[in-house]
């Protein structure tokens, strides 16, 4: 922004400075013996048009060699031209050579003119130390000398020293000129020192310089940088004739730089109405003012005006255009501008790299980086930061390491921003060893460094390490902010440590860190830890609930199995002005899936379509899972087939869906197809595949894929994989092999593994192995009521009623309660829940009447007889029959028969495994009442149709 008069045009022109008598020797690459020259002030035009350093040095060399031309040559003027050229080219080495020869001749202390020129050169070349040394040695100083030194300090980032020099100058009695004010005012702006700036303003008025245009511009800029836009606008308003483009540039830039985009653009419009011609600075400021999408139309109008004008576009305007389109997220337009740009600089490349990363186009960022290198543009720290960030977002560890290696090679790895980005990249690539090393190598760490490393460990399930580092950060004096607290809460959530959550909650309240983000996080963490009451209380305390607040509470209900409460909360949310987003809707889809509420799921799907949400990523996965969980595999397949880019999670979701329906072959075929596509399966994929093999009785295939995990993909099985494989062997009645496999597991088999073996022993009445598994299970998981129930059932099946009684008393003494079996059915967009022998439903009388009618029909026409051996209670036969007839799924079936149209499917979900007697009952209902039943139990789906089940009685 040109808000002050350039130094080279104000007080360093040869016509303004006095000449001093001196003798000079010039040394180029060899010693030159120079005679005494005439001091006549003669201007040689050849020097005035020299633009290259090599040409200038050669001209000086030839002039010194030509004895006849010496009398006509003014050495002051010659050296002035060369020094000014060194300054413009920032050629410090050549400038120092010239200085050395002048000093060797007779010194420069007797030439104020050349000393001032040297000061200017050093300032422009960024050598403030040499400038200060020269300034300190000068015996005589003019106002031009003071201006040069003050200007050098300002341009080299030492505004405080510039203010000190100004005060020394005032003490020395040197008279100020108009060119002093721009530099000193710029220093005041840099220091945000309004008091000093106002003082200089008063002095400008006193000396009569306040009306000079470039002084006014500098004053406007100073007031703007000191956040006094009223003062800046008042100064601008006092200008009677507003035809100076620099004045307009100053005030437009002032508003744009202070975030007053609308005012800046209004001034730009006003300037256009007055027919003041724009220049590059104007256009850059106007484009910078187009800071977000509400100014998109105006920004494109400015672009169109630029294209129509005869202005010769410079790189700064084009870079500002690039930055504007990046801010708008218009990467296609940005790339078009970029491709048409000749002479791209590092800023052009960095703007595009940042744009790609900010807009999620990470592969494009990496491609551009390679293109940039191929065209010889050397990346700087901004380029490297963007490439590392893109690598992290893609999880591309190889590219991330390459960028890291480049940073080390170029000495950029010590940059704080690069260090922080490396830590984040390694965290996202799950490479915690390198993440820790990158953090430890950082010589300087800020609060972002600590926040990033803590978040990295927390997000990668190293929760204890994350908490250890949070304590260390406090001992290091790092200020704990809301972002770090979020990561600490994430670690607490991962550990399910309610005490730590409450402790952190208390810390937040004591330190006054309670912002909206942390309030939402607290709701989420309490929900994840199962403290629903606390979560609900915190949710109610949030005054201005945003979409994240509602989503956190929805997720809390869904996570804790309170799907009905989630739908009630959704209804309450609809009464507010908060718009549902994809994350909230994905949570609601999970609730619909858990209840098998197909109609509600379809409603949400319809909402997605109406709102134009992309059916990719998490949305597609949730829809497939919802339809599969609601018993509509056909719709799940349709959604899956409609997705253009299928990621690993969606492949896994579909494999799991096939497994739920007992379509083991289709699950295996899909897995093979996924491998052919080049995707590498992870632990979850193999878990879904083993599950599918288990529920289809594919023993050999399951064994092969279990072994393939470690052999082909170097995946160490989780306890869940071991349990699934034991379940696979157990379902096939290979109990001895399953027991041997459990004993062969390295380390201690988990409770889940023994539970799978115990379940199989119960089905196939293997008492000996069942007792072994039961003992192990009680040792490993004595606090789980589900395990007690399973052991109790095994003992009851063996007729050991005394042991059953003792176990149930032990369970009661521990305060453990069995989760009651319940079933639910969706009718007319409402979910109805039933428990065993439940009579709480408003239509209970009709339900039991219908159930009695159905039971008698099946007994009469199909010869149905209740399997009382399945009732594991020490009661009379008649009561056992009543218990079986009162199972929750039968009540749901009866309600479905009286409340849904004939011929339509009845969809039921049960939280426990369907017993063999209810399974038989459901097959018979589907045949004799001609209704298709879709029952989802804790293990899989059962499609009952015309007396047959899709599980082929294998579940």
């Amino acid at each position: 922004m040109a808000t002050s008069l350039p130094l080279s045009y104000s007080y360093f022109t040869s016509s303004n400075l006095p000449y001093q008598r001196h003798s000079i020797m010039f040394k180029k690459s060899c010693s030159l013996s120079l005679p005494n020259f005439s001091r006549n002030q003669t201007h040689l035009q050849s020097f005035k048009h020299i633009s290259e350093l090599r040409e200038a040095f050669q001209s000086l060399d030839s002039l010194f060699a030509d004895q006849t031309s010496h009398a006509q040559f003014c050495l002051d003027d010659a050296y002035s031209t060369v020094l000014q050229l060194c300054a413009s080219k920032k050629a410090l080495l050549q400038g120092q050579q010239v200085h050395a020869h002048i000093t060797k001749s007779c010194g420069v202390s007797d030439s104020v003119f050349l000393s001032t020129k040297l000061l200017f050169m050093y300032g422009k070349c960024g050598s403030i130390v040499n400038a200060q040394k020269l300034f300190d040695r000068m015996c005589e100083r003019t106002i031009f000398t003071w201006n040069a030194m003050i200007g050098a300090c300002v341009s080299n980032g030492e505004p405080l020293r510039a203010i000190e020099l100004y005060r020394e100058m005032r003490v020395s009695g040197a008279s100020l000129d108009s060119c002093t004010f721009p530099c000193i005012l710029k220093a005041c702006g840099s220091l945000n020192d309004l008091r000093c700036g106002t003082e200089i303003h008063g002095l400008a008025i006193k000396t009569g310089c306040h009306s000079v245009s470039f002084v006014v511009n500098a004053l406007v800029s100073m007031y703007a940088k000191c956040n006094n836009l009223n003062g800046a606008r008042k100064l601008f308003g006092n200008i009677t004739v507003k035809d100076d483009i620099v004045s307009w540039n100053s005030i437009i830039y002032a508003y744009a730089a202070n975030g007053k985009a609308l005012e800046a653009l209004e001034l730009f419009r006003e300037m256009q109405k007055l027919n003041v011609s724009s220049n590059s600075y104007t256009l850059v400021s106007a484009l910078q003012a187009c800071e977000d999408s509400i100014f998109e139309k105006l920004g494109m109008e400015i672009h169109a005006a630029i294209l129509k004008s005869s202005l010769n576009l410079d790189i700064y305007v084009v870079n500002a255009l690039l930055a504007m389109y990046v801010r708008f997220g218009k990467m296609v337009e940005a790339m078009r501008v970029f491709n048409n740009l000749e002479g791209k600089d590092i800023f052009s490349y960095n703007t595009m790299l940042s744009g790609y990363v900010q807009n999620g186009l990470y592969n494009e960022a990496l491609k551009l980086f390679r293109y940039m290198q191929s065209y010889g543009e050397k990346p700087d720290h901004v380029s490297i930061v963007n490439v590392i960030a893109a690598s992290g977002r893609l999880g591309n560890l190889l590219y991330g390491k390459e960028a890291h290696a480049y940073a080390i090679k170029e000495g950029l790895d010590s940059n704080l921003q690069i260090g922080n980005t490396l830590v984040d990249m390694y965290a996202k690539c799950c490479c915690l060893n390198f993440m820790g090393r990158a953090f430890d190598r950082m010589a300087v760490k800020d609060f972002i460094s600590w926040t990033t490393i803590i978040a990295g460990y927390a997000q990668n399930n190293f929760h204890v390490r994350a908490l250890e580092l949070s304590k260390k950060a406090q001992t290091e004096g790092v200020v704990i902010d809301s972002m770090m607290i979020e990561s600490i809460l994430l670690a607490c959530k991962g550990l399910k440590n309610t005490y730590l959550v409450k402790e952190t909650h208390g810390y937040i309240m004591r330190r006054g860190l309670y912002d909206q983000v942390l309030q939402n996080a607290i709701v989420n963490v309490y929900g994840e830890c199962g403290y629903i009451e606390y979560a609900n209380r915190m949710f109610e305390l949030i005054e201005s609930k945003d979409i994240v607040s509602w989503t956190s509470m929805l997720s809390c209900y869904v996570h804790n199995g309170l799907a009905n409460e989630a739908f009630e909360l959704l209804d309450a949310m609809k009464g507010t002005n908060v718009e549902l987003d994809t994350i909230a809707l994905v949570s609601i889809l999970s609730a619909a899936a858990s209840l098998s509420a197909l109609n509600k799921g379809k409603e949400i799907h319809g909402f997605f379509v109406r709102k134009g949400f992309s059916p990719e990523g998490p949305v597609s996965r949730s829809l497939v899972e919802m339809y599969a969980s609601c018993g509509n595999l056909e719709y799940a397949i349709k959604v899956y087939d409609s997705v253009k880019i299928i990621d690993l999670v969606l492949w896994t979701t579909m494999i799991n869906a096939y497994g739920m329906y007992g379509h083991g072959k289709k699950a295996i075929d899909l897995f093979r197809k996924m491998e052919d596509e080049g995707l590498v399966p992870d632990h979850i994929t193999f878990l879904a595949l083993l599950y599918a093999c288990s529920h289809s009785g594919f023993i050999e295939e399951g064994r092969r894929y279990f072994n393939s995990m470690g052999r082909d993909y170097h995946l160490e099985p989780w306890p869940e994989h071991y349990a699934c494989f034991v379940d696979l062997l157990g379902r096939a009645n290979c109990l001895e092999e399953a027991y041997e496999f459990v004993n062969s597991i390295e380390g201690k088999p988990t409770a889940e593994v023994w539970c799978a073996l115990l379940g199989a022993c119960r089905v196939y009445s293997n008492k000996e192995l069942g007792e072994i598994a039961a003992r192990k299970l009680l040792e490993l998981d004595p606090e789980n009521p589900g395990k007690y129930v399973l052991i109790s059932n095994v003992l009851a099946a063996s007729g050991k009623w005394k042991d059953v009684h003792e176990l149930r008393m032990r369970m009661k003494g521990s305060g453990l309660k069995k989760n009651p079996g319940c079933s639910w059915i969706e009718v007319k967009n409402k979910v109805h829940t039933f428990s065993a022998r439940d009579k709480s439903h408003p239509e209970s009388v009709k339900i039991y009447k219908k159930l009695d009618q159905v039971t008698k029909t099946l007994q009469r026409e199909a010869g149905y007889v209740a399997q009382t051996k399945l009732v594991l209670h020490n009661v009379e036969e008649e009561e056992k029959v009543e218990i079986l007839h009162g199972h929750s799924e039968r009540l749901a079936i009866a309600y479905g028969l009286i409340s849904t149209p004939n011929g339509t499917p009845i969809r039921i979900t049960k939280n426990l495994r369907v017993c063999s007697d209810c399974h038989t009952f459901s097959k018979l209902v589907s045949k004799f009442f001609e209704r298709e039943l879709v029952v989802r139990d804790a293990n899989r789906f059962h499609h009952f149709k015309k007396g047959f089940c899709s599980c082929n009685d294998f579940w």
Side-chain angles (χ1 to χ4, degrees), residues 361-381:
L361 303 170
Y362 308 121
N363 280 313
E364 285 78 0
L366 297 180
K367 289 176 185 175
L368 181 62
F369 182 73
R370 289 194 293 270
Y371 171 87
M372 170 185 176
Q373 288 182 298
S374 67
Y375 274 78
E377 187 68 50
K378 187 175 181 180
D380 64 3
H381 81 279

Side-chain angles (χ1 to χ4, degrees), residues 83 127 207 370 377 481 536 586 608 621 819 879:
L83 286 171
S127 183
T207 57
R370 289 194 293 270
E377 187 68 50
D481 67 348
N536 193 47
V586 164
F608 274 115
R621 296 195 290 267
N819 290 327
E879 188 175 350

Side-chain angles (χ1 to χ4, degrees), residues 86-107:
C86 289
S88 67
K89 301 288 185 181
K90 299 192 184 317
L92 178 61
L93 181 61
Q94 289 82 353
Q96 287 175 320
Q97 288 177 356
V98 174
H99 188 180
H101 282 286
I102 295 171
T103 305
K104 188 175 180 181
S105 171
C106 63

Side-chain angles (χ1 to χ4, degrees), residues 843-889:
E843 298 183 64
S844 180
V845 175
K846 290 182 181 179
I847 292 169
Y848 276 93
K849 185 178 179 181
K850 183 66 176 178
L851 182 58
D852 186 55
Q853 174 197 337
V854 169
T855 305
K856 287 178 178 177
T857 300
L858 297 182
Q859 288 172 340
R860 183 177 64 253
E861 298 186 16
Y864 166 70
V865 178
Q867 302 175 52
T868 54
K869 67 175 183 179
L870 298 173
V871 180
L872 304 175
H873 294 276
N874 193 15
V875 294
E876 297 297 327
E877 282 294 304
E878 186 177 341
E879 188 175 350
K880 288 183 179 181
V881 171
E882 288 182 9
I883 291 173
L884 285 172
H885 287 181
H887 276 189
S888 61
E889 57 265 55

Side-chain angles (χ1 to χ4, degrees), residues 733 735 759-770 794 797-798:
N733 199 15
L735 296 179
C761 290
R762 177 196 164 194
V763 172
Y764 291 104
S765 303
N766 190 319
K767 299 175 184 179
E768 184 181 349
L769 284 180
V794 170
S798 302

